[in-house]
Every structure is written in C-alpha cells, then in structure tokens.
C-alpha cells in the first residue's frame, strides 16, 4: 500500500489557524502550538458572548423603557403589566426605540394603557 503524505493538509490546517489568530498579541499570533490554544479559547468566548449579547440588549431596553415610563408618571413594571392586560403586543425592542427616538409616540402608548 502506498505511503500517505499529509504535507499539504497539515500546511492548510496551520495556515487556517494562523489566519484566524491574526491580530492576537505576542507569540499566540505566529506560533502554531500557542495559536491553536488561543483560537480554541477565543471560539469558546465568542460562543458565550453571543448569548450574553442578547441578555445585555434586553437589559438596555428595559432601562430605556423604565426611564421613559418614569418621565410619564409610571414605572417599568406597572407599564409592562398594563400593556399585557390591554393586550398590546409591542416588544421591548420596539418600546425602547420609541422611548429613545419618538417620545411623543411613547407618551401616547403610556396614556392608552393607563
């Protein structure tokens, strides 16, 4: 049986990892052994970060809605409760956009659910 030489595959794999670690500090960007480990950690952190991004955005929306609701004489929790009771189906993202960019419209929404 013929001998299998893996030179091209190994080179491709190494180049791929080193390309992904471009811009890293110190030897992690150009030493394959260290780059491989750094890349593995980076991918794990990126996965976690994609989940945290969703949490952080929801927190930000809640803060914006609460600030605007308090300017209109109510609190965040009372406002959200009133929305659910009146079957208004506006999500927090849309409400935060209204609160930030269209305060008059947001005020009308608050008045409609009071």
């Amino acid at each position: 049986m013929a001998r299998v030489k893996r030179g091209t595959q190994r080179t491709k794999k190494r180049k791929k990892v080193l390309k992904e670690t471009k811009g890293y500090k110190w030897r992690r960007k150009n030493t394959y052994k260290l780059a491989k480990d750094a890349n593995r950690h980076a991918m794990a952190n990126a996965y976690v970060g994609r989940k945290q991004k969703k949490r952080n955005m929801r927190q930000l929306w809640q803060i914006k809605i609460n600030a605007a609701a308090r300017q209109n004489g109510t609190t965040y929790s009372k406002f959200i409760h009133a929305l659910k009771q009146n079957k208004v189906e506006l999500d927090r993202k849309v409400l935060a956009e209204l609160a930030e960019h269209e305060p008059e419209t947001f005020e009308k929404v608050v008045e409609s659910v009071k």
Side-chain angles (χ1 to χ4, degrees):
M1 191 170 206
R3 188 178 108 187
V4 177
K5 296 166 73 178
R6 299 189 187 274
T8 51
Q9 264 63 33
R10 191 168 290 152
T11 304
K12 264 199 249 180
K13 186 176 179 183
R14 260 200 318 268
K15 280 190 174 185
K16 180 185 170 202
V17 170
L18 290 172
K19 185 180 178 187
E20 288 172 350
T21 58
K22 185 176 180 180
Y24 287 14
K25 283 185 172 183
W26 304 300
R27 264 178 30 190
R28 296 180 303 161
K29 67 177 172 266
N30 53 18
T31 306
Y32 177 65
K33 189 175 181 181
L34 298 176
K36 195 168 52 170
D37 190 46
N39 191 40
R40 186 171 47 84
H41 284 99
M43 293 299 119
N45 290 334
Y47 177 81
V48 171
R50 287 193 296 273
K51 310 299 171 223
Q52 288 174 340
K53 183 180 176 185
K54 294 165 181 62
R55 286 180 230 155
N56 293 339
M57 291 309 293
R58 187 175 171 101
Q59 282 178 345
L60 181 64
W61 298 332
Q62 289 173 347
I63 290 167
K64 287 179 180 180
I65 295 167
N66 188 26
R70 286 179 186 272
Q71 286 179 348
N72 291 301
T74 185
T75 62
Y76 172 80
S77 59
K78 290 176 184 172
F79 177 60
I80 294 294
H81 181 67
L83 285 174
K84 289 187 180 183
Q85 279 186 334
N86 292 320
K87 295 185 172 67
V88 177
E89 293 189 12
L90 289 174
D91 62 354
R92 284 162 180 78
K93 182 178 181 179
V94 172
L95 288 169
E97 285 291 316
L98 287 175
E100 188 176 8
H101 301 295
E102 303 282 337
E104 302 87 20
T105 311
F106 186 81
E107 188 177 343
K108 289 178 185 172
V109 171
V110 173
E111 293 300 321
S112 69
V113 298
K114 272 190 178 175

